Amino acid sequence: MDEDAVFKALADRTRRHLLDALFIRDGQTLTELESGLEMTRFGISKHLRQLEEAGLVTAVRSGRKKLHYLNPVPIRLIHDRWIDKFTEQRIAALTDLKKDLES
């Protein structure tokens, strides 16, 4: 996984909107995804391509349609690497405090 590509993809408001739309209803076409945005099809396609390159979206052809699906794994991997390690100490401190107060 290329973390830089994931962070770059998440840095843009339009791409986050597309991810939110796919979270709400997975498997949307380009036409469905563009309905909530005031942008050209070309612009939306460009954003979707960046999301695909970052591994956050996968596209599957179904007949004449191309359906887009959310892949949350890269976000989870970043969470595990960057967020969990910073919250672990706080949780351990709270656990220790709870034990001390109960003794």
Side-chain angles (χ1 to χ4, degrees):
M1 173 187 76
D2 180 5
E3 286 184 0
D4 290 338
V6 175
F7 279 117
K8 183 178 178 182
L10 293 173
D12 183 83
R13 180 180 0 168
T14 300
R15 290 190 286 273
R16 290 191 307 270
H17 175 83
L18 291 169
L19 292 174
D20 288 338
L22 291 172
F23 178 78
I24 292 168
R25 189 171 63 79
D26 223 4
Q28 293 188 55
T29 63
L30 176 60
T31 302
E32 293 168 325
L33 288 168
E34 75 176 321
S35 67
L37 297 168
E38 294 192 20
M39 187 179 285
T40 64
R41 288 179 65 84
F42 178 75
I44 301 286
S45 293
K46 195 173 177 181
H47 284 294
L48 285 170
R49 190 169 31 257
Q50 275 195 290
L51 291 169
E52 286 182 55
E53 289 170 2
L56 294 166
V57 169
T58 57
V60 177
R61 288 230 173 253
S62 176
R64 294 180 56 157
K65 294 181 181 179
K66 184 176 180 182
L67 302 176
H68 299 87
Y69 294 92
L70 175 66
N71 178 18
V73 173
I75 295 172
R76 180 56 193 238
L77 292 172
I78 285 174
H79 172 273
D80 291 349
R81 177 169 181 214
W82 292 101
I83 296 174
D84 275 356
K85 74 178 177 184
F86 294 111
T87 58
E88 181 62 33
Q89 291 175 339
R90 291 182 189 160
I91 293 170
L94 289 173
T95 303
D96 292 343
L97 178 62
K98 181 180 183 291
K99 288 178 186 175
D100 290 344
L101 291 173
E102 290 175 344
S103 330

